Amino acid sequence: VEATLLRTPLYARHVSLGARMVPFAGYEMPVQYESVIEEHKAVRTDAGAFDVSHMGEIHVDGPTAQEFLQSMLSNDIDRLGDAEAQYTLLTNDAGGIVDDLIAYRFGHGQFYLVINASNRAAVYGWLKEREPRGCEVRDASDEYGLVAVQGPRALERLGFSEAPAFTHGMGELDGVEVMVARTGYTGEQGVELCCAEDDTLALWDAILARGVRPCGLGARDTLRLEVCYPLHGNDITTDTDAISAGLGWTCALDKEFSGAAELRRIKEEGPSRRLVAFVMEERAIPRQGMPIEGGGEVTSGTHSPMLDVGIGMGYVPTGQATPDTELVVDVRGKPRRARVVKKPIYQPTKEDEE
Amino acid sequence: VPAPETYPEDLKYHSEHDWARIEGDEAVMGITWFAQDALGELVHFEAPAVGSSTTKDQPYGEVESVKAVSDVIAPLSGEILDVNQKVVDEPETVNDDPYGDGWLLRIRLADPGEVDALMDVDAYKAHVAEQ
C-alpha cells in the first residue's frame, strides 16, 4: 500500500500556478512551474521563491540545550551568538552523516534546527532518545511554513536591508510576521522566511506579488549542485563521513561528539576517497550512481543551466581528487570524459564585483 | 513560450510517444508533444550514427532533460540516412517545434509494411488521453 503523500499549506497554490507536482520526501512538491532552466536563471539573475515547508523544524530548549547540542552536533555551537546560525552535521558513532542542518540560536538555551524533510524522523528520534535533563527536544515541523527567497535581487524585492550571511531576526513582510534568516541553498544572496503554518499562503502570495518567480525543486537541485552544496541522501549519507565529503570545516574535532574519534582518525590517516566536483568534457549528463573509472561513483549529476554542460559530484580515490584530473564517467555503458574542478563549479556573481 | 499541444493529422504514431512522417520509402521521425512535455526542456540528444539502423519498437537513442533521461523508441525499422544536427547542438529545438525543426532522424524504410501497425492521429490522441 502506497503511503499517502503529505501536502504543504501551498499545495493548492502550486497547482493553480501550473506546477508539476512530484513525490519528494513524503510530500507532493512542485518540481517545476514552467521551466527548470528559466527558474534557475531567475535565481541567478533576479530572485526566485521556493516552498520548503516540507523541511523539518526542531526546537531544542532548556538550560542544558547548548551543552547537549555541543555533544550531538559536529560544529562548535559555543561560537554561535544570539541571532546567528550555523551549518552543522548530526553524525553517528562511526562518523557517518545522519543529516546536515542549520542550527539557529535565539538566546541562552533557545535553539532551533532546520533539517532535511527525509530525515525528520531520524533526527528527531536521535535527539529525543538522548535528550538530557534540563532540555526539551520538540518536533515543530507542522507548526511552520518555510519559504526561501534567493537571488541577487531577493532582498531588494522584499524590501529587506542587507544583513550578514548566517544571521537571523524577526521581521515582517506585507503584514505577515516572519523569522528572517540569511541562509539558503543556492549560493546566491537571499533569505529563508519562517512563518506560522496558517500564514504561509499569505506570505507566499506577498513574495510573488513583489515580482519574485516561483521555483520548483528541479531548479533547487541544479542551483545547489552548481555551487557544490551537498544533498543528504546523494552526496552525504550515514555511510559517508565529513572528512571525505570535504565538510571537515563543519567539524570541531577538538571537542567530543558522536563519531568525533573516528573523524579524527580519518583526518589523521587521510581519507581514501574524496567527494569531488567535475565538469563533463564531452556531451553527456552524469547521473547519480554512474561508475567513475578507477573505483569512483557519481553521487549527483545534472545539466548546468549556467554553463550549459553536464556537471556532477562524486567520490573518487584520493589519487584522482586533485583539480584538473581527468575522469571517465560510465554513462550507461559509454565512457565519457570529465575533469575534476575546484568547488564551486559555478561562482555566483557578487554584487560588488559588477 | 512552450509549443501548444498538437498532434498533426499527417503523421503516424507509436505508443511510446514517437511520430513518423512517411515520405515515399523514407521516414522522418521524432518525439511527440506529449513526450517532450513529460520530459521538460531537453538538454541532450544522444544520437545514433548515420549509416546504422533502427529496429521497430527498439531504442535508437536517448533524450535527456535536466531531471530525466528517456530512451527514444523507433516507430519503424530502417537505415539511418540523417541525424538532425540542430537538435544535437540545441536540444531545446524539440520543445519549441517537436514536429518541424525538432525532428530527430531520417531513415530508409526496411519494411514499408510496418507502417500499418502504427496509430493514426485519432488512435494516438485516445492513447494520450489514457496516460
Side-chain angles (χ1 to χ4, degrees):
Chain A
V1 180
E2 223 170 279
T4 310
L5 290 169
L6 302 170
R7 292 173 175 183
T8 78
L10 301 179
Y11 174 83
R13 185 62 90 242
H14 297 319
V15 170
S16 69
L17 286 167
R20 183 162 300 171
M21 306 301 287
V22 296
F24 179 82
Y27 283 79
E28 263 183 288
M29 297 299 290
V31 67
Q32 66 168 65
Y33 296 84
E34 280 173 36
S35 149
V36 173
I37 293 174
E38 292 309 313
E39 290 160 26
H40 181 110
K41 289 179 175 170
V43 172
R44 288 277 181 250
T45 58
D46 191 332
F50 302 83
D51 177 13
V52 284
S53 300
H54 60 305
M55 294 190 78
E57 291 95 4
I58 294 178
H59 282 288
V60 183
D61 294 311
T64 62
Q66 184 164 332
E67 191 187 335
F68 173 56
L69 290 176
Q70 184 70 324
S71 70
M72 290 288 112
L73 302 174
S74 67
N75 214 331
D76 184 1
I77 209 158
D78 290 349
R79 289 173 52 187
L80 200 53
D82 294 346
E84 287 183 350
Q86 183 181 65
Y87 180 68
T88 185
L89 307 175
L90 178 63
T91 45
N92 63 26
D93 292 337
I97 301 168
V98 178
D99 199 14
D100 63 334
L101 57 123
I102 296 182
Y104 298 81
R105 178 182 155 123
F106 292 114
H108 179 71
Q110 290 178 286
F111 295 89
Y112 162 85
L113 314 176
V114 175
I115 63 175
N116 281 300
S118 35
N119 295 330
R120 179 176 160 187
V123 174
Y124 175 71
W126 182 278
L127 294 175
K128 192 70 187 172
E129 226 170 75
R130 292 162 176 81
E131 173 189 85
R133 193 185 293 266
C135 172
E136 196 203 357
V137 176
R138 189 168 64 84
D139 184 350
S141 303
D142 296 333
E143 297 170 27
Y144 300 119
L146 193 60
V147 179
V149 186
Q150 303 276 300
R153 295 189 67 196
L155 297 178
E156 173 198 332
R157 290 228 181 245
L158 298 180
F160 289 166
S161 48
E162 288 264 354
F166 284 90
T167 59
H168 62 90
M170 293 309 294
E172 180 248 295
L173 184 79
D174 302 331
V176 181
E177 197 187 348
V178 288
M179 178 191 137
V180 183
R182 277 282 289 105
T183 50
Y185 196 47
T186 62
E188 296 294 336
Q189 236 193 10
V191 290
E192 291 178 299
L193 304 176
C194 181
C195 65
E197 171 109 352
D198 290 345
D199 290 339
T200 318
L201 187 57
L203 175 65
W204 177 261
D205 287 347
I207 293 165
L208 264 49
R210 285 168 167 272
V212 177
R213 184 170 184 147
C215 299
L217 293 180
R220 187 168 163 82
D221 189 54
T222 51
L223 286 158
R224 69 94 193 165
L225 189 47
E226 277 187 344
V227 293
C228 300
Y229 290 173
L231 172 62
H232 195 275
N234 282 40
D235 313 299
I236 52 177
T237 70
T238 48
D239 294 325
T240 65
D241 68 88
I243 308 299
S244 306
L247 296 175
W249 62 275
T250 69
C251 299
L253 294 178
D254 54 351
K255 66 160 189 170
E256 290 310 320
F257 58 95
S258 24
E262 182 62 12
L263 293 173
R264 279 191 286 265
R265 187 193 64 76
I266 295 167
K267 190 180 179 188
E268 199 178 302
E269 293 176 5
S272 59
R273 55 177 202 157
R274 287 178 192 272
L275 183 65
V276 297
F278 62 87
V279 171
M280 299 307 298
E281 302 239 293
E282 296 183 81
R283 267 182 203 284
I285 301 170
R287 305 284 184 185
Q288 184 183 19
M290 286 181 178
I292 300 172
E293 232 172 63
E297 185 179 314
V298 176
T299 52
S300 285
T302 193
H303 171 86
S304 162
M306 300 309 285
L307 305 175
D308 201 25
V309 290
I311 61 169
M313 290 201 289
Y315 285 94
V316 296
T318 300
Q320 289 182 295
T322 320
D324 246 19
T325 305
E326 189 165 293
L327 302 177
V328 177
V329 181
D330 179 344
V331 179
R332 290 178 295 280
K334 294 174 185 165
R336 292 285 184 254
R337 280 182 296 112
R339 189 169 296 277
V340 176
V341 296
K342 243 186 105 193
K343 298 173 191 173
I345 296 167
Y346 173 83
Q347 180 74 58
T349 315
K350 295 286 181 287
E351 239 172 39
D352 51 11
E353 288 171 9
E354 280 173 1
Chain B
V1 182
E5 182 170 8
T6 53
Y7 302 104
E9 303 213 339
D10 61 326
L11 303 182
K12 293 292 187 179
Y13 295 90
H14 187 274
S15 58
E16 294 288 336
H17 307 289
D18 307 280
W19 58 262
R21 179 179 290 118
I22 313 302
E23 298 179 349
D25 64 348
E26 296 180 7
V28 176
M29 316 192 308
I31 65 170
T32 66
W33 184 93
F34 179 88
Q36 66 77 33
D37 181 63
L39 277 159
E41 296 147 301
L42 296 193
V43 292
H44 184 64
F45 172 39
E46 185 75 24
V50 170
S52 63
S53 301
T54 62
T55 305
K56 181 174 158 54
D57 302 328
Q58 298 298 312
Y60 65 78
E62 293 160 346
V63 284
E64 292 193 59
S65 65
V66 172
K67 293 296 283 180
V69 54
S70 176
D71 281 332
V72 193
I73 304 299
L76 296 164
S77 307
E79 182 198 349
I80 298 171
L81 303 174
D82 199 5
V83 166
N84 187 356
Q85 191 59 36
K86 183 176 167 63
V87 168
V88 173
D89 295 335
E90 298 165 32
E92 67 273 18
T93 307
V94 174
N95 303 104
D96 297 340
D97 189 6
Y99 309 108
D101 286 349
W103 63 277
L104 299 180
L105 294 189
R106 173 180 288 274
I107 65 165
R108 176 172 292 114
L109 296 176
D111 174 7
E114 285 178 351
V115 173
D116 299 338
L118 297 178
M119 288 184 257
D120 66 12
V121 67
D122 291 333
Y124 180 66
K125 280 182 178 169
H127 176 64
V128 164
E130 286 167 13
Q131 302 290 307

